[in-house]
Amino acid sequence: MEQIDAVNLVANHVQRWRLRDRSGTLPAGWFVLTVTEDENQWWRFECRSEGDRHYITGTEWSRFVQPRIDARLTLYAQQDGENFHRMKVTMRRN
């Protein structure tokens, strides 16, 4: 799986995540990013691009991030034949 970007989630990410698409696979403009970690639970995040940056925002994003503060989130590019993105969330151990 080709990595788009990764982040250690902190409180300011509740509002938005500004990311750099290292894979070059995200579309320009405004779009809905469909994401899963395990194909059992799905999220649809609002995403927009400005230049070489993308921003993930919105209510569903905020609800997703709040319980995952301090976790490591890695977003991956779509694989052939898929119409969604995969992610990996690694919770930090206390």
Side-chain angles (χ1 to χ4, degrees):
M1 287 188 290
E2 187 174 4
Q3 180 177 313
I4 291 176
D5 205 356
V7 66
N8 292 319
L9 295 172
V10 295
N12 68 322
H13 289 120
V14 171
Q15 296 301 316
R16 71 176 183 173
W17 175 25
R18 182 179 72 180
L19 63 115
R20 185 176 305 269
D21 179 9
R22 299 180 195 296
S23 69
T25 60
L26 292 177
W30 185 92
F31 58 98
V32 174
L33 186 68
T34 302
V35 179
T36 187
E37 186 172 17
D38 57 12
E39 295 189 46
N40 290 317
Q41 191 167 10
W42 298 84
W43 295 273
R44 293 173 52 86
F45 302 137
E46 297 172 26
C47 191
R48 65 182 167 81
S49 66
E50 288 182 10
D52 66 345
R53 293 286 188 171
H54 284 77
Y55 297 87
I56 298 176
T57 61
T59 303
E60 191 161 356
W61 171 252
S62 294
R63 284 191 213 132
F64 173 82
V65 172
Q66 282 182 321
R68 295 170 177 84
I69 297 294
D70 294 328
R72 175 84 174 162
L73 171 66
T74 306
L75 180 64
Y76 297 97
Q78 290 180 352
Q79 295 187 16
D80 290 341
E82 295 180 340
N83 61 352
F84 59 89
H85 290 77
R86 296 179 185 273
M87 68 179 164
K88 179 179 180 184
V89 178
T90 306
M91 299 302 288
R92 187 174 151 205
R93 296 180 188 190
N94 293 331

